[in-house]
Amino acid sequence: MLSPTFIALIIIAFLQSGISITLNIYIMIMDAKSIRNDTRLNPPHLIHLLRGLVNILLQCSLTVMASLYVICVPVLFIREVYFPFIIITLTMIYCSFWLTAWLCAYYCTTTTNFRYGLCVWLQRISSSSLLLLLLLTAGGTFLIGLLFFWNIKIEAEVTVSENSTLGASFISGTFNFNPLYFLIVTILGCGLPFILILYSIILTIFSLLRHVCNMKLTDSGFTRPKLQAHLNAIRTVTLILIVFVTFCIAEIVLTTATFSSSPNEKLVICWSILMSYPTADSIIDIQASS
């Protein structure tokens, strides 16, 4: 019989899946319509569309893995099972991180007028080479997930009962990683997107402060719409950063945790946070969209 902790995890998993998939399908439909009706490619619509697709795949993968953890945790340590799930899940996680970073960078470059080297490069690439950038993002995150997988070492504790009819009994299992590769993957998949998101927030805030100072000097009402655009961008990017950091912490904790057949409240909390990420992502996208 399942423990109350495992029952709670299953309920959370399927509730989150229903909400997340519904919201992300809605986002994909709306952005697909916008892309079809626009005369030119609009970067945020395309990024939102891809983020919706990635979030749906990520939600499905996390839900299946959480179900296996509850129903039969030893299955997670079978190569034929964990190989596709680790590759798919990590690729979707890091792809979502990078798409989020590009979206924040786009918000920054469209609401600020700084002429720093990185800002100019982001403005240029978002208008002329966006498809190539997104293609490189998908390929690069897949390689990061593959690099992560090939450095996994499994440690499983199994006991054999004296009663031969019971056979082997699984106690616990851990996925261990080479520290160097783990650091490289974390920097490429989490660290660099985090820096880009934080950079976008800082530049947008500085641009807002400069804009407010100009408004006080000119005392003109014509700049109010731009002020609102700044505030919307800052609110959106800040919410994204909060969700991003929370998810990264939960992902690192879960990646280095020990799984066992008995319920573990820390792992259940981490699973719940991970599975809520696609939902929170979609809610932020909806409130930020016009």
Side-chain angles (χ1 to χ4, degrees):
M1 183 177 180
L2 294 178
S3 69
T5 304
F6 279 161
I7 293 174
L9 179 60
I10 286 293
I11 293 174
I12 292 172
F14 284 96
L15 282 177
Q16 288 287 356
S17 295
I19 297 172
S20 173
I21 292 174
T22 301
L23 291 178
N24 281 289
I25 288 177
Y26 169 76
I27 290 172
M28 292 177 64
I29 292 174
M30 292 296 101
D31 284 296
K33 288 182 178 179
S34 298
I35 292 174
R36 185 183 61 186
N37 295 332
D38 287 345
T39 55
R40 61 184 181 85
L41 184 62
N42 198 328
H45 289 316
L46 181 58
I47 296 175
H48 281 306
L49 178 64
L50 293 177
R51 272 162 54 86
L53 177 60
V54 168
N55 282 336
I56 289 174
L57 295 176
L58 177 59
Q59 185 73 63
C60 292
S61 178
L62 291 173
T63 301
V64 173
M65 292 181 70
S67 301
L68 290 176
Y69 169 57
V70 171
I71 297 170
C72 186
V73 67
V75 174
L76 290 175
F77 293 87
I78 299 174
R79 181 182 177 85
E80 289 75 12
V81 175
Y82 72 73
F83 174 77
F85 277 112
I86 287 180
I87 296 298
I88 293 173
T89 303
L90 290 179
T91 300
M92 293 302 104
I93 287 174
Y94 296 137
C95 187
S96 179
F97 286 173
W98 274 106
L99 289 175
T100 299
W102 297 133
L103 184 64
C104 292
Y106 178 82
Y107 285 146
C108 175
T109 56
T110 54
T111 56
T112 65
N113 54 4
F114 291 115
R115 287 296 175 264
Y116 300 135
L118 183 57
C119 283
V120 174
W121 178 79
L122 288 172
Q123 288 175 336
R124 185 186 304 117
I125 199 169
S126 64
S127 59
S128 62
S129 307
L130 180 63
L131 293 177
L132 178 60
L133 178 65
L134 296 178
L135 184 62
L136 290 175
T137 298
T141 52
F142 175 76
L143 292 177
I144 293 174
L146 203 60
L147 175 66
F148 196 88
F149 170 78
W150 286 119
N151 290 278
I152 291 177
K153 293 182 181 179
I154 294 177
E155 291 184 3
E157 183 180 352
V158 179
T159 60
V160 179
S161 174
E162 295 180 357
N163 186 346
S164 60
T165 59
L166 295 178
S169 176
F170 177 87
I171 301 242
S172 64
T174 306
F175 294 100
N176 293 322
F177 313 96
N178 183 302
L180 176 61
Y181 286 103
F182 185 79
L183 179 63
I184 293 173
V185 167
T186 302
I187 292 174
L188 294 177
C190 303
L192 293 181
F194 171 79
I195 292 173
L196 187 55
I197 294 172
L198 187 61
Y199 179 79
S200 301
I201 290 179
I202 293 172
L203 284 187
T204 307
I205 290 176
F206 273 116
S207 179
L208 172 64
L209 294 176
R210 188 172 67 176
H211 181 67
V212 170
C213 291
N214 291 336
M215 286 180 59
K216 290 181 179 180
L217 291 175
T218 59
D219 194 26
S220 173
F222 293 101
T223 53
R224 294 291 178 180
K226 189 174 182 181
L227 176 62
Q228 188 60 43
H230 275 85
L231 294 174
N232 289 338
I234 291 173
R235 181 180 66 248
T236 300
V237 178
T238 302
L239 288 174
I240 287 175
L241 183 64
I242 294 172
V243 173
F244 180 93
V245 172
T246 305
F247 183 84
C248 282
I249 294 173
E251 186 242 340
I252 292 173
V253 171
L254 193 64
T255 302
T256 56
T258 298
F259 296 85
S260 65
S261 300
S262 59
N264 185 319
E265 285 74 14
K266 183 177 73 172
L267 293 185
V268 170
I269 292 173
C270 288
W271 272 119
S272 302
I273 293 174
L274 291 180
M275 289 184 294
S276 65
Y277 175 76
T279 304
D281 228 14
S282 60
I283 292 174
I284 293 173
D285 283 350
I286 291 174
Q287 69 84 31
S289 175
S290 58

